[in-house]
Amino acid sequence: MNHGTVVRDHRRTSWDLHAQQAPPQAQPVDAGTIAAARTGRWQVHLTPRALPLDWLGDVRGRRILCLASGGGQQAPVLAAAGADVTVFDLCEQQLALDRAVAARDGLRLQAVQGDMRDLQAFGHGSFDVVFHPVSNLFVPDVRPVWAECHRVLARDGLLLASFYNPVLFVGSDDAPLAEQGLMRPRFAIPYSDLEDLPADERQAKQARGEAMTFGHSLGDLIGGQLDAGFVIERFMEDWQPRPRVLIERYLPAFLATRARRIG
């Protein structure tokens, strides 16, 4: 099935609603965080815990693309730390939060709207770093994302990416079973809300304004980076601080990679 613009348009609408409701994860950073970043005291997140400092190192003067990372959180901090930052996101309201922080604190950053699978707005070798926190679960095929990241990165450029552990998409979120400490496998990986979720459940999810999600295989999440021309240098796991489903109590919910463009 070619999901094309159907997925993109629904995702844009869902994230506009998400930004309007302003949950904690959509709150922009405060002025104190920006002031600290200007003095060299800063941190950013690929997963719930702060990213180890040696994954990025000194960002001053580096061209960083915050990919599918709007919301006024990561991009303004990196800009305050001295990076030349572009934030790229499908949701205009998420980008508006980045622009608002930049205006409030006198930061220079560029905010561009678009789909993470299509970075034609940028030329070859435009960036030194692509910073891509958990978001590719919203596209049916992650491999075009890796290919575009490779194209827009300069030689020796870094791709820092994170994603959900695929096992999270396998089990049924069945409360009565969870109360017994049990989980029922329901779906295979790769998983697609559009193709695997029963129609009534899918329609209910859409009616709630939730974005369609896709559980990619490790072959696509990690092997796809290798196939795109990256070498993976670092790997990290992280736990869900507030487990939402039973399986998150037993294994890390988040995976992150630091990969280098070598060709």
Side-chain angles (χ1 to χ4, degrees):
M1 180 185 296
N2 180 10
H3 304 296
T5 59
V6 174
V7 172
R8 184 192 63 212
D9 293 345
H10 178 71
R11 193 166 83 245
R12 181 189 294 121
T13 301
S14 299
W15 276 96
D16 281 342
L17 177 63
H18 175 83
Q20 291 169 9
Q21 295 171 339
Q25 62 268 30
Q27 295 290 340
V29 295
D30 59 25
T33 299
I34 296 301
R38 283 188 160 120
T39 68
R41 294 179 292 113
W42 58 272
Q43 59 184 29
V44 289
H45 296 260
L46 279 177
T47 66
R49 75 182 186 198
L51 185 71
L53 293 177
D54 62 348
W55 275 49
L56 263 177
D58 188 354
V59 300
R60 289 176 294 181
R62 297 171 81 183
R63 302 167 299 167
I64 299 181
L65 174 64
C66 290
L67 179 60
S69 181
Q73 300 164 338
Q74 318 288 355
V77 170
L78 292 168
D84 177 5
V85 177
T86 299
V87 56
F88 187 86
D89 200 285
L90 187 62
C91 174
E92 179 58 36
Q93 295 199 42
Q94 291 287 91
L95 293 173
L97 295 174
D98 291 286
R99 296 189 187 104
V101 174
R104 182 194 69 198
D105 296 320
L107 300 171
R108 294 183 59 186
L109 61 80
Q110 184 179 14
V112 181
Q113 185 178 29
D115 191 305
M116 71 182 85
R117 297 168 292 182
D118 180 3
L119 303 181
Q120 292 303 312
F122 311 113
H124 291 249
S126 295
F127 300 99
D128 304 306
V129 177
V130 173
F131 190 84
H132 181 45
V134 179
S135 58
N136 58 45
L137 73 157
F138 300 116
V139 295
D141 184 358
V142 71
R143 284 179 176 263
V145 179
W146 304 142
E148 282 290 84
C149 288
H150 187 273
R151 183 184 65 79
V152 301
L153 277 169
R155 184 179 179 86
D156 291 326
L158 293 176
L159 166 62
L160 277 65
S162 58
F163 28 85
Y164 279 117
N165 192 324
V167 75
L168 298 184
F169 294 89
V170 171
S172 171
D173 187 10
D174 189 320
L177 282 178
E179 291 174 0
Q180 302 175 58
L182 301 174
M183 186 188 90
R184 176 171 64 89
R186 185 182 183 191
F187 302 111
I189 298 297
Y191 165 80
S192 164
D193 270 352
L194 294 179
E195 296 180 359
D196 299 317
L197 199 63
D200 59 334
E201 295 181 44
R202 182 174 64 251
Q203 291 163 5
K205 184 172 185 176
Q206 291 173 316
R208 293 191 299 269
E210 298 177 19
M212 296 294 101
T213 57
F214 304 88
H216 306 297
S217 69
L218 289 175
D220 287 336
L221 291 168
I222 294 178
Q225 293 185 50
L226 300 173
D227 291 343
F230 289 100
V231 170
I232 295 176
E233 300 178 332
R234 300 285 295 273
F235 177 81
M236 179 175 72
E237 298 175 311
D238 198 8
W239 293 79
Q240 174 62 256
R242 293 174 295 278
R244 303 157 303 171
V245 293
L246 183 65
I247 192 64
E248 291 180 331
R249 301 178 193 173
Y250 297 97
L251 51 76
F254 303 94
L255 310 176
T257 54
R258 186 182 78 173
R260 188 176 300 274
R261 183 195 194 280
I262 58 171

